[in-house]
Amino acid sequence: MEPVVIAIVVAAIVIVFLVASTVRIVPQARRYNIERFGRYRRTLQPGLNLVLPVADRINTKLDVREQVYSSDPRPVITEDNLVVNIDTVLYYQITDPRAAAYEVADYLQAIDQLTVTTLRNVIGSMDLEETLTSREEINSRLRAVLDDATGKWGIRVNRVEIKAIDPPHTIKEAMEKQMRAERDKRAAILHAEGERQAKILTAEGTKQKDILEAQGAQQAMILRADGEAKAVELVFQAVHRNNADPKVLAYKYLETLPHLASSDNNTFWVIPGELTEAVRTVTRAFGDESTAAPVPAAQPETAASGGAGETSDEARSPALEAGSTVLLDAAAAADEAEKQAAAAVSDAKAEAEAAQSTQVSRRA
């Protein structure tokens, strides 16, 4: 019995081993390359797969997800003979597991060396400043070259990024000085622009102020002139309405003349040509009143010379009395004319003030 049991147990173990060797479970995003007697047979997909035991074996297990590979900093010489250290980051994905396993021995090392070679060719045609400012161009050129070269290896390069560009220490100091000078220059320019703008705004404000002041003065002069014109018009209407005779007008004309030299800045004043006409009018007015007074009768002439002399002396005394009467009448007429003129002017002023207050109320 014991040999039979041992044989059954051995047969069961062999069967379990064969079954275990036949079944292969592949995880998601993994690919297994199967070789049969040392030759590539097929690539197992994710899930449950059956293989021939002993004859089939798994050669490589590959991850088909996108991978990230960061290379070490590599020295690269620019066009202006400056050595810079460039560190790159590579994003790739295996698209053909068979090609990745059998077309290249070590695809990571091959990609790294190809990246360094392409980077040196690209950077060698640029100067330092262009290298620092043309990262997008460098990335696109690297990706184009790597994608073309790695396509036959079953690998697709999705992105290539330059992680760091480190120039020499002396170049860094020079660049920092240059950047500091550029910042100082921009600060000086901005300060000058601010001062210029401030001066322009100040000048604009002064200009607007002067314009507004001039406009205000102009409006004030216009309003003042309008007021004076209205006052003169009202005085003119009041004088004509009261039917002032030429005597009063001539007297007021003579009364106004001293006001021509009332200003402190006047060093001389001109007597208008109508002065003589005004004086003649006043004199004629006073002369008319004097002629209106009674004149004594003339004495008869005597033949004797002595009598003639006495007669002339006697006649002179009544003439003097008549002259005194004329002077008194002229003074009374002048006073009366002055009173009438003052009354006319006061009436005109009252009417002008009333008209001005009416105009102000209308404007308000």
Side-chain angles (χ1 to χ4, degrees), residues 155-176:
I155 297 173
R156 182 178 68 247
V157 177
N158 296 327
R159 295 180 62 187
V160 179
E161 296 291 339
I162 295 178
K163 186 166 62 175
I165 299 177
D166 296 328
H169 183 67
T170 56
I171 301 300
K172 287 183 180 180
E173 292 180 354
M175 292 173 62
E176 290 177 358

Side-chain angles (χ1 to χ4, degrees), residues 337-354:
E338 183 178 1
K339 291 179 181 179
Q340 293 178 2
V345 171
S346 62
D347 294 339
K349 288 183 178 181
E351 292 181 1
E353 291 177 357

Side-chain angles (χ1 to χ4, degrees), residues 94-158:
I94 297 175
T95 57
D96 189 358
R98 188 196 67 79
Y102 296 102
E103 295 294 335
V104 61
D106 189 352
Y107 59 87
L108 285 180
Q109 184 179 4
I111 292 175
D112 186 27
Q113 295 299 322
L114 184 60
T115 302
V116 173
T117 304
T118 306
L119 190 62
R120 287 176 178 173
N121 292 333
V122 173
I123 300 299
S125 61
M126 298 181 180
D127 56 7
L128 179 61
E129 185 175 359
E130 188 177 2
T131 301
L132 295 174
T133 57
S134 303
R135 291 197 176 191
E136 292 296 332
E137 181 181 358
I138 296 172
N139 293 337
S140 61
R141 293 174 65 178
L142 281 174
R143 182 180 178 279
V145 173
L146 291 175
D147 195 16
D148 184 43
T150 58
K152 62 181 180 180
W153 299 339
I155 297 173
R156 182 178 68 247
V157 177
N158 296 327

Side-chain angles (χ1 to χ4, degrees), residues 235 239 244-259 278 282 334 336-346 349:
V235 170
V239 170
D245 56 358
K247 302 174 186 179
V248 176
L249 297 178
Y251 180 77
K252 294 304 295 180
Y253 184 79
L254 295 176
E255 188 181 17
T256 309
L257 287 178
H259 295 285
V282 175
E336 184 66 22
E338 183 178 1
K339 291 179 181 179
Q340 293 178 2
V345 171
S346 62
K349 288 183 178 181

Side-chain angles (χ1 to χ4, degrees), residues 39-98:
R39 185 176 181 179
Y40 171 77
R41 178 66 180 175
R42 62 192 177 98
T43 300
L44 299 182
Q45 300 298 322
L48 182 63
N49 295 274
L50 299 177
V51 298
L52 292 178
V54 180
D56 294 341
R57 69 180 185 90
I58 298 175
N59 181 27
T60 53
K61 296 180 180 180
L62 299 176
D63 191 347
V64 297
R65 293 175 297 180
E66 187 174 9
Q67 305 292 322
V68 180
Y69 176 73
S70 177
S71 63
D72 297 331
R74 301 297 178 88
V76 180
I77 300 176
T78 61
E79 187 180 9
D80 48 358
N81 297 325
L82 293 176
V83 179
V84 293
N85 294 322
I86 300 180
D87 189 5
T88 59
V89 178
L90 182 68
Y91 297 86
Y92 68 95
Q93 185 177 9
I94 297 175
T95 57
D96 189 358
R98 188 196 67 79

